[in-house]
Amino acid sequence: MTQDEQKRAVAREALRFVEPDAYIGVGSGSTANFFIDELAVIKHRLRGAVASSARTAERLKSHGIWIDELNNVDELPVYIDGADEVMESGAMIKGGGGALTREKIVAAVARKFVCIVDASKLVKKLGAFPLPVEVIPMARSYVARELVLLGGHPEWRMGFTTDNGNLILDVHGLNIVDPIAMEAQISQITGVVTVGLFARRGADVILIGAPEGIRTITPTRRK
Ligand code: 5RP
């Protein structure tokens, strides 16, 4: 099974979490794109979708799936999205595609976060993938200096602007021993909009596409 076949397989598997006549939260990235394509087959069963990025909104629209603003949606049973790295605890690094802020907002509203990944994304420790941090443009250098104090090596994602008009610093080399603590620490730096650590609100279900089939992990609830 190729990596894309693994992504497609978990995307299809994720359909069983879609609740009828309800809104569904939809993430961003190549795995989420496979999910959107699968979702199109059952679109008549949906009330609508909430998108976590402009690109996802475009793809949903291209399939004729009704999208609504999060502010108009009071109940979001499920959010389905990929990750750059995920631990069995449900803690993730996200934001490789730069959509971390909207992803974190939609995930916060959803009752259940279903993470869909190929086998290469499952890790024992987060941080080999550079941690994306969305920053207000005028705070870029200040935030970068603060991230260096935490042991990281921030790299400005040149030429990239988020859907919210901000910048991304990709932070290499962080020693993420306690993902929840580091998420809180980085979030508190003035000028940081969102850190791509999704640990306080991690995944409730992880679907992993592997050559031998799909594995489901249900992390125990965090306090
Ligand atoms: C985008 C994300 C994606 O979920 C993450 O980058 C994984 O993407 P892919 O499914 O293409 O590997 O967080 O901001």
Side-chain angles (χ1 to χ4, degrees):
M1 235 183 174
T2 65
Q3 195 177 24
D4 272 357
E5 285 166 347
Q6 292 173 30
K7 290 180 181 185
R8 198 189 310 271
V10 281
R12 189 167 301 144
E13 182 72 12
L15 286 181
R16 72 184 163 90
F17 291 91
V18 177
E19 296 199 1
D21 300 320
Y23 283 98
I24 176 90
V26 184
S28 304
S30 58
T31 318
N33 282 345
F34 282 121
F35 175 69
I36 294 168
D37 298 344
E38 296 293 333
L39 195 62
V41 179
I42 60 156
K43 65 181 177 191
H44 54 280
R45 286 194 229 153
L46 302 172
R47 182 149 173 220
V50 173
S52 65
S53 66
R55 285 184 128 177
T56 287
E58 277 314 308
R59 197 173 184 103
L60 287 163
K61 272 193 230 161
S62 76
H63 282 299
I65 297 171
W66 170 257
I67 53 172
D68 211 332
E69 273 187 42
L70 185 63
N71 286 320
N72 297 333
V73 172
D74 44 13
E75 271 278 293
L76 193 61
V78 181
Y79 176 58
I80 296 185
D81 197 359
D84 299 301
E85 286 183 345
V86 60
M87 292 171 68
E88 288 197 2
S89 66
M92 296 167 279
I93 284 185
K94 292 185 46 53
L100 60 164
T101 296
R102 296 187 185 194
E103 290 174 347
K104 208 176 245 196
I105 294 168
V106 182
V109 174
R111 271 207 309 277
K112 184 180 280 182
F113 188 140
V114 179
C115 175
I116 51 173
V117 289
D118 66 84
S120 71
K121 307 288 186 68
L122 185 64
V123 298
K124 295 266 181 240
K125 186 181 177 192
L126 299 174
F129 189 92
L131 178 66
V133 180
E134 180 166 348
V135 297
I136 298 287
M138 73 174 287
R140 175 176 53 84
S141 299
Y142 168 69
V143 172
R145 288 194 293 274
E146 292 293 306
L147 291 166
V148 168
L149 293 178
L150 295 179
H153 305 283
E155 200 177 282
W156 178 13
R157 201 181 292 182
M158 297 279 279
F160 183 85
T161 305
T162 69
D163 285 349
N164 316 304
N166 297 317
L167 305 176
I168 297 281
L169 294 172
D170 291 302
V171 191
H172 300 252
L174 284 170
N175 182 19
I176 307 175
V177 177
D178 181 342
I180 294 179
M182 187 158 280
E183 179 179 8
Q185 202 171 9
I186 296 178
S187 299
Q188 280 167 16
I189 301 171
T190 303
V192 167
V193 177
T194 303
V195 56
L197 270 171
F198 286 51
R200 199 168 75 88
R201 199 281 179 260
D204 299 299
V205 178
I206 309 165
L207 299 178
I208 303 160
E212 59 279 7
I214 291 166
R215 189 177 156 206
T216 304
I217 298 175
T218 310
T220 44
R221 270 243 158 258
R222 289 155 304 277
K223 299 247 174 344

